[in-house]
Amino acid sequence: MNTTKRNLLRTTGVAGLGAIAGCALPTVAQTRIKTPFEVPVTTIPIVGSMEVFPVRRIYCIGRNYAAHAREMGSDPTREPPFFFQKPTDAIQFVPPGQTMEHPYPPLTKNYHHEIELVAALSKGGRNIPIERALDHVFGYAVGLDMTRRDLQRAMGDQKKPWEIGKSFDQSAPIGPIHPVSSFGQFSQGAIWLKVNGVVKQEANLAMMIWSVAEQISQLSAAFELMPGDIIYAGTPENVGPVVPGDVMEGHIDGLPPIRLKVV
Ligand code: MN
C-alpha cells in the first residue's frame, strides 16, 4: 500500500471514531489529509480476530490489593482508589509463546515488575454506574506496569508528580486482548509473576480492593471514558526488582502467559 493511500485510510479511521464518540467539531488535525510525518497508531492484537484494538488512553489504578498497599506504606482500608496514566505508546505487545526482549530503562537502579489484569473498553461514558460498568469492557489481557521505583519514590518524597517513575517508554508490556464475548469476565482466578522461574507475586483477582466495575465507575466520574481506553487494574504484593538477563513470566488464569527477558 502506498503512503498516500495509507494516510487516507488513517484519516478516515480517525473521522469514524470521532463520529462514534459524538465529537462536536473535528479538530484541525482530524480534517487534514496530509501530515508532514507519520505517527504510529498504538494497537493490540485481538484473539480470534483479524482486527486489532486501537488504544486511546492507558489508565492505571494504584494500590488495589491490600497487601501491596501496605508494602507501599499506606492503609488500604481508608483510601479511595487513585489513578494515573501512561502514554499510549508505552505499550509493548508481547505475543504468547515468545520471549520478548524488554529494555532496561535509563535513569533507574531499582526497576520493578508489577503484574496486572488489564481491562480494555469498547464503550465510553461519564458517571457509569457500577452495575452497568462491565458492559463497557471489550476484553482482558495480562499486563505489566513496569516501574522505576527509585524515581517514583524520590518524586513522591518531594511531593512532585511521579510520572517519570511510571510513564516512560515501553513501561506497559501487554499480551493480546481476549474478548469478553469468547472468554467471559475476569473477576477471580490466580494472578502471578515469576522471575527466572521463581514465583515472586501471587494472588487472586478476587482480592482486588476495587473491582474492575468499580474502577470503571470511579474513573468515569473523573474522566469521560472512551472506546479504546484500557485500565491496568493494580498489582498484588511482593513487587520487586529485575535486572538485565532476568526473565519475567506473567500469568492470569484463563489467559496465556507473557514472557519477557530484560536486556
Ligand atoms: Mn501498578
Side-chain angles (χ1 to χ4, degrees), residues 6-243:
R6 208 162 48 227
N7 281 343
L8 191 62
L9 286 173
R10 188 163 293 152
T11 306
T12 307
V14 169
L17 283 176
I20 291 167
C23 292
L25 291 172
T27 64
V28 171
Q30 284 173 324
T31 56
R32 284 173 63 174
I33 302 299
K34 291 183 178 175
T35 54
F37 49 84
E38 292 199 24
V39 176
V41 175
T42 299
T43 60
I44 304 169
I46 299 167
V47 173
S49 174
M50 294 300 290
E51 295 181 329
V52 292
F53 185 93
V55 182
R56 189 189 79 116
R57 286 186 185 171
I58 305 173
Y59 291 104
C60 305
I61 183 171
R63 297 173 197 172
N64 197 31
Y65 290 77
H68 173 61
R70 281 191 291 273
E71 78 180 349
M72 298 305 287
S74 60
D75 177 354
T77 61
R78 285 185 295 118
E79 296 186 1
F82 71 93
F83 299 94
F84 59 94
Q85 291 184 41
K86 289 178 186 262
T88 301
D89 67 351
I91 291 286
Q92 180 189 17
F93 177 63
V94 184
Q98 293 186 34
T99 303
M100 288 294 287
E101 292 197 341
H102 177 79
Y104 194 94
L107 301 183
T108 184
K109 293 185 171 60
N110 194 19
Y111 189 41
H112 276 204
H113 54 74
E114 295 192 0
I115 179 75
E116 309 202 359
L117 177 70
V118 183
L121 308 188
S122 55
K123 288 191 225 165
R126 291 192 178 98
N127 298 314
I128 299 166
I130 293 170
E131 58 273 16
R132 290 217 299 273
L134 292 183
D135 297 344
H136 296 68
V137 180
F138 175 81
Y140 291 91
V142 181
L144 287 170
D145 166 18
M146 296 305 295
T147 303
R148 297 193 281 205
R149 191 73 69 201
D150 44 356
L151 302 186
Q152 180 198 21
R153 287 208 175 111
M155 296 301 275
D157 290 346
Q158 298 171 56
K159 299 198 186 317
K160 291 176 179 169
W162 36 255
E163 182 155 331
I164 196 169
K166 284 288 193 182
S167 307
F168 52 93
D169 300 337
Q170 294 182 278
S171 61
I174 193 168
I177 291 175
H178 291 66
V180 170
S181 56
S182 301
F183 295 88
Q185 298 286 348
F186 286 73
S187 57
Q188 57 179 330
I191 176 171
W192 52 250
L193 180 122
K194 292 179 183 175
V195 177
N196 302 329
V198 178
V199 175
K200 296 293 186 180
Q201 295 185 266
E202 189 172 23
N204 193 292
L205 298 177
M207 296 162 71
M208 286 193 281
I209 297 170
W210 303 92
S211 69
V212 169
E214 289 169 327
Q215 292 175 50
I216 291 169
S217 182
Q218 293 259 2
L219 260 177
S220 72
F223 308 94
E224 180 175 5
L225 295 177
M226 294 280 188
D229 290 344
I230 68 174
I231 304 169
Y232 278 65
T235 197
E237 65 275 20
N238 297 324
V239 297
V242 288
V243 295

